Amino acid sequence: MTGRLRFSVLWISHLSVAAGVVAILGAASAAAKPVAVEFLPPAIELKPICEQRSQDSDVVGRWLAWDRKALPKQQPWLVLREAQRLRDIDPQQYFPIIKRMIELLPTIDPGMKADDVAAEEITLYLRAGKTDELRQSKMVEQLINRAEANTPKSLYLAAELMLDGVSAKQDEKKALSYLVAAAYGGNPNALLELAKRNLEGQQIQGWSVDPSLAVTMAFGAMVGKLDNGICDRVTRIAREYEKGEVVAADRRISEAWLRFAADLGDGNAAWNVARYHLDSSEITKDNNLLIHYLKFAADKGVVAAQSELGHLYEVGAIVPKDLAKSEYYYQLAVAAGHRNSLIKLANLYEDTDQQGAREKYRHALNELAALPDPPGWTFAKLGNLAIEESGYWRAEKTATDFFEKGAERRDMTSIRSLALIRLQHSATDGQFDEGINLLLELLDSYGRTDTMADLRDAYLCHAPDGPQIEKAQYWSANAKEALNAGWSVKTIGDLVEHPSTAETASLQSGALNGQSNFIAGYLWYLKTSKATPEAIGEWEKRVAQNPDAKTAYAILMLQADDGVDNKKAALKMLLEAAQAGGRGAKTAAADLILTSLGQDAKLVKTAGDFLHADAAGGSGAAMQLLATKSGPSTSAADVYREYSDAIEARGDTEAMIFAAGQVSDVEQKRSYLARAAGRIDCSFDTALSMASAYFSFNQAADAVKWMTVAEAFSAGKPWRSRLLGETFQRIPQPDMQTNAMRLFEVAALGGDAKAQQYLLKAYLDAAGANYSQEKAVDLMVATISKASPAQILDSLSRLERSHKAIQQQVLARVNLATLFHDAAAAGDPVGMREFGKLQLARMDGPEDAVVAQDMFQKAAGKGDVEAMVLLSRNYAFGIGTTPSLSLARTWLEKAASLGNKEAKEMLVVMTMKAN
């Protein structure tokens, strides 16, 4: 084996000498690109002979502990390699150690020449940036003065020192002659340098070897003999093929030489083979080779390979998923000081529920936190871990300390968490302003636009002197997210019926950003608006993969359909979400079971287990359900006593509101509600709950504050205004009753039927304080003038049934034809249909029938079933169109298929007449 390698080197040496005697090859060409040379490893049997390099940390530690008196008894080439490695790591910091190692090398290697020692020292000075000291030492001039008697290695170094301007002798011709001499002496660096200069178009006196042959000679010299240093040399060949500076880049050949080195025992080469196959952009990927060499490298102690193999086992890519092996390889890398593997190990422990993983997760985070420059997010995770384990209220101080450390290191999650804690204590001097400033920092310095919603909520729910509506609206507008955001079946249905580009964009943006309620809402929107199957399928996958979104979607299902089958389907989704840890899934499932499926004893037990589990976790919604739906044997006081410790440790807003209702001491009530406000998810429902809680013990000022917050969330949502009105109405105080009437009017003008009925009853009650027929008429005129065609019809129908006289006065003041015409022009199918009916009713001429027919046709095309029936009549009798029984039947069949009873009856009559 050794003989074959020696033979190839001798052959190249003889050829190079011949090239120096006679110009058998042409002058160097001025080629603009690297030469293509196919220099492949010899096909020989290989055995591991190379010594694996130590980890950098081991090398540094070993030589820092060295007494610098004598070199250890080991192979000289290993000492030299480690000196060179220290030089690569930090030549300035380790300069004295490296210099002493080089000086002592001849003591363990008698064959080492003085010029070789000088070459190593000179290289050290240059790498350490000590050029002036090097010049003063005279080592460079001494090396150059002895150049012609030097080894090819020293000749090459002398040439480089002169060409780079390090030497005081600026003689380019002489330097190039040294370079040529070094090349003819077989120095690979000189051969490659001359080939490079030739390729750049430079003619070198005394050198006429073609670049491709020079590259071949250089590579042959690098291979040399089969000794302990061969792996370092052939790895250099691989690097040259990877760089593509002198020889044309060829990853295939580079990979072949790396495998050659790996098969000789070089773990670093094996890692590079694996890296090539992981990338696989310029070679044919082979997973078997990848895993073979990756494991070999990892077992040789190559940290990068250990980390990558740990990752592959973690995700189950290429190899079967095996978290134990993943942990093993990550730990090997961590033991070698690999920071990124410690991060990966922490993430591995965070995402697994294996026994002991939580303690290992904490340990990994603490290790990260103890690093000299720890990542800021470590402290955010430590803070959240403390909250998760001990509960928010008990861990607040510890978590705050962690978040402060993370914020100091500019971690965005820590900054936001700290801001929310500051806002929670907004009643304390300066805390509100500090919280606002932290949020503004996230927005201004990091571009976190989602912070705008936090700023909106801060001014609404945390401002110490009450809600600052204008500032909240400002941030809401900038965030392009309405204060009334909150997606229900009704709001989504309204959006489909009355499209709004801004609201649709807000819904889609929230879904794309991964917000669970928005993901569920967007899927419901796509289905309601009859989007393409591909779009619906894509978002069905997203809902299925997100337990929180699955919970939200199940709740939408329950809002839309009260049928038993639908409830069972929704329960299935909730149970799946609960199994996957979806927030609120257990409580929602329990509520559904106890409300609608209580006949199933097994499900009822499941519901009880769910509620007790969530209540123990501080869920006020679960506590409330236990108090109201567990049966007469369980009271709210019982639930409070059982879970008072959970409330104190980790109670959420609803838990604090629940607790406030179970104590009699006013100050204790206020304490609970203050904590409820601190952690509030600022929304209409939570604000209304806070207001009701304060009303319950006659704290009107605080209650009105929260009613104001809730009202800010009610713009464009008339039923919310009506709910607020009903809340105010229950408080027997004149100013509260005035607020109730104002909110009922807002709701009625927005089209809320219940609010309209309440106001009509109040205005038409001759014995009541609000009696006024004029106001009743004004209300209905204003309501109808702003309403959609469908709402107009509903309002008029209710008036006809209960207030005929008011209806007549209203009809005298509104122009239905104009309202329906305008709605029809805007594309409303009900407006089209009703305008067509009015045209037929007046029939001043045949053109009215044509207009009516056109309106019915358009409305039917938009899916209006009543318009389909009217259209079929026009076709049957030729009203505004040419008679056509076939078209009349077609439209009746469509209406009947959509459940229209009249259409079904007319089809029966048509069939009987046809027979």
Side-chain angles (χ1 to χ4, degrees), residues 163 169 414 437-438 472 552 733 751 764 844 849 903 906:
L163 291 170
K169 293 183 179 181
S414 296
N437 289 335
L438 286 167
Q733 297 175 13
L764 298 177
D844 291 338
M906 291 174 67

Side-chain angles (χ1 to χ4, degrees), residues 698-825:
N698 301 319
Q699 302 295 307
D702 289 301
V704 170
K705 164 190 165 181
W706 286 105
M707 292 292 281
T708 303
V709 174
E711 189 172 349
F713 284 103
S714 301
K717 306 295 179 186
W719 68 92
R720 289 183 174 177
S721 296
R722 188 241 309 154
L723 289 174
L724 293 175
E726 291 172 352
T727 302
F728 273 126
Q729 186 189 33
R730 290 193 287 270
I731 311 302
Q733 297 175 13
D735 55 338
M736 302 298 172
Q737 297 302 307
T738 299
N739 272 326
M741 290 298 292
R742 175 181 62 82
L743 288 161
F744 282 138
E745 288 172 1
V746 171
L749 291 174
D752 186 80
K754 291 183 178 180
Q756 290 174 13
Q757 290 173 344
Y758 175 83
L759 286 175
L760 282 175
K761 183 179 179 181
Y763 290 148
L764 298 177
D765 181 3
N770 296 300
Y771 175 71
S772 171
Q773 285 197 8
E774 182 180 355
K775 282 187 175 182
V777 174
D778 289 345
L779 168 71
M780 296 312 299
V781 169
T783 299
I784 287 173
S785 298
K786 295 180 178 180
S788 69
Q791 292 171 331
I792 291 172
L793 295 178
D794 289 341
S795 296
L796 291 175
S797 176
R798 287 194 300 272
L799 284 176
E800 185 175 22
R801 291 194 301 270
S802 56
H803 304 288
K804 187 76 172 177
I806 298 298
Q807 184 202 36
Q808 296 304 315
Q809 293 181 60
V810 170
L811 288 174
R813 288 176 55 184
V814 297
N815 188 328
L816 291 180
T818 299
L819 294 175
F820 289 141
H821 174 272
D822 291 347

Side-chain angles (χ1 to χ4, degrees), residues 100-303:
R100 184 60 176 157
M101 291 171 72
I102 295 171
E103 291 171 350
L104 292 175
L105 271 171
T107 64
I108 61 171
D109 184 7
M112 190 171 188
K113 299 178 180 179
D115 285 340
D116 291 332
V117 174
E120 290 297 333
E121 284 197 76
I122 290 170
T123 303
L124 172 62
Y125 273 93
L126 292 174
R127 291 289 296 276
K130 297 178 179 291
T131 308
D132 291 340
E133 294 179 35
L134 178 62
R135 290 190 179 116
Q136 293 172 7
S137 72
K138 305 298 183 180
M139 281 191 293
V140 172
E141 304 311 321
Q142 292 170 3
L143 180 73
I144 292 173
N145 290 336
R146 298 193 306 271
E148 294 180 4
N150 281 348
T151 63
K153 177 180 177 181
S154 297
L155 279 168
Y156 169 74
L157 180 58
E160 288 296 294
L161 292 170
M162 294 173 70
L163 291 170
D164 291 343
V166 177
S167 169
K169 293 183 179 181
Q170 301 295 314
D171 188 338
E172 182 180 10
K173 184 177 179 181
K174 192 71 172 175
L176 291 175
S177 72
Y178 288 165
L179 198 62
V180 170
Y184 282 130
N187 182 266
N189 293 320
L191 286 162
L192 292 176
E193 178 63 25
L194 288 170
K196 181 180 179 183
R197 287 174 178 267
N198 285 164
L199 290 170
E200 292 171 348
Q202 185 177 359
Q203 301 291 327
I204 309 296
Q205 184 176 354
W207 182 257
S208 58
V209 178
D210 185 81
S212 61
L213 179 59
V215 169
T216 303
M217 291 163 61
F219 289 169
M222 287 178 192
V223 174
K225 60 182 179 180
L226 202 61
D227 58 16
N228 285 328
I230 189 172
C231 287
D232 291 342
R233 298 194 300 271
V234 299
T235 299
R236 167 77 185 282
I237 298 174
R239 284 201 304 272
E240 292 297 332
Y241 275 107
E242 182 174 329
K243 289 189 299 182
E245 292 178 355
V246 180
V247 65
D250 192 326
R251 285 290 184 97
R252 175 183 56 86
I253 297 178
S254 179
E255 187 265 357
W257 280 106
L258 288 171
R259 275 194 285 120
F260 185 80
D263 291 342
L264 287 170
D266 189 334
N268 293 290
W271 158 238
N272 282 311
V273 173
R275 182 172 59 83
Y276 275 20
H277 285 272
L278 283 167
D279 177 40
S280 71
S281 58
E282 297 177 47
I283 65 168
T284 302
K285 184 174 183 179
D286 186 323
N287 286 340
N288 291 328
L289 279 177
L290 190 164
I291 295 301
H292 168 75
Y293 285 106
L294 187 61
K295 286 183 176 179
F296 180 84
D299 292 341
K300 280 285 186 177
V302 179
V303 173

Side-chain angles (χ1 to χ4, degrees), residues 468-721:
Q468 299 182 29
I469 302 299
E470 289 186 6
K471 289 184 177 180
Q473 289 175 335
Y474 168 81
W475 288 111
S476 179
N478 277 277
K480 297 182 180 179
E481 181 180 338
L483 280 172
N484 58 13
W487 301 102
S488 64
V489 168
K490 186 177 189 325
T491 56
I492 295 170
D494 288 346
L495 181 58
V496 172
E497 187 176 350
H498 307 289
S500 164
T501 302
E503 285 199 56
T504 304
S506 173
L507 174 59
Q508 186 179 42
S509 175
L512 290 171
N513 287 332
Q515 294 173 257
S516 303
N517 289 340
F518 285 74
I519 293 172
Y522 190 59
L523 174 58
W524 196 270
Y525 170 82
L526 290 174
K527 289 188 174 182
T528 305
S529 60
K530 296 181 171 55
T532 64
E534 292 77 14
I536 291 173
E538 169 64 25
W539 285 92
E540 282 179 333
K541 289 179 184 176
R542 298 197 186 198
V543 167
Q545 293 166 356
N546 185 321
D548 293 345
K550 191 177 286 189
T551 301
Y553 192 81
I555 291 171
L556 290 175
M557 291 173 63
L558 294 171
Q559 293 175 9
D561 186 351
D562 199 41
V564 174
D565 289 342
N566 182 66
K567 288 179 179 178
K568 289 181 177 179
L571 178 61
K572 182 175 181 293
M573 289 191 75
L574 289 171
L575 292 175
E576 291 173 354
Q579 181 68 28
R583 287 174 296 177
K586 290 181 178 179
T587 296
D591 190 12
L592 174 57
I593 292 168
L594 297 176
T595 302
S596 304
L597 304 169
Q599 68 279 8
D600 188 322
K602 186 176 179 180
L603 282 179
V604 170
K605 183 182 183 306
T606 297
D609 292 342
F610 279 175
L611 290 178
H612 284 291
D614 276 3
S619 167
M623 295 175 197
Q624 188 64 41
L625 283 174
L626 283 171
T628 57
K629 295 190 177 181
S630 293
S633 61
T634 303
S635 68
D638 295 331
V639 175
Y640 173 68
R641 281 192 295 271
E642 183 175 357
Y643 292 107
S644 59
D645 188 63
I647 293 170
E648 291 299 324
R650 57 181 77 243
D652 59 16
T653 294
E654 290 81 0
M656 294 300 169
I657 292 173
F658 172 77
Q662 307 309 313
V663 296
S664 56
D665 182 75
V666 171
E667 288 308 311
Q668 193 174 0
K669 286 177 179 287
R670 296 188 69 86
S671 174
Y672 276 131
L673 293 180
R675 280 184 281 171
R679 291 200 64 199
I680 195 168
D681 176 15
C682 196
S683 67
F684 173 82
D685 291 334
T686 54
L688 184 56
S689 294
M690 289 292 292
S692 299
Y694 277 112
F695 273 136
S696 71
F697 65 108
N698 301 319
Q699 302 295 307
D702 289 301
V704 170
K705 164 190 165 181
W706 286 105
M707 292 292 281
T708 303
V709 174
E711 189 172 349
F713 284 103
S714 301
K717 306 295 179 186
W719 68 92
R720 289 183 174 177
S721 296

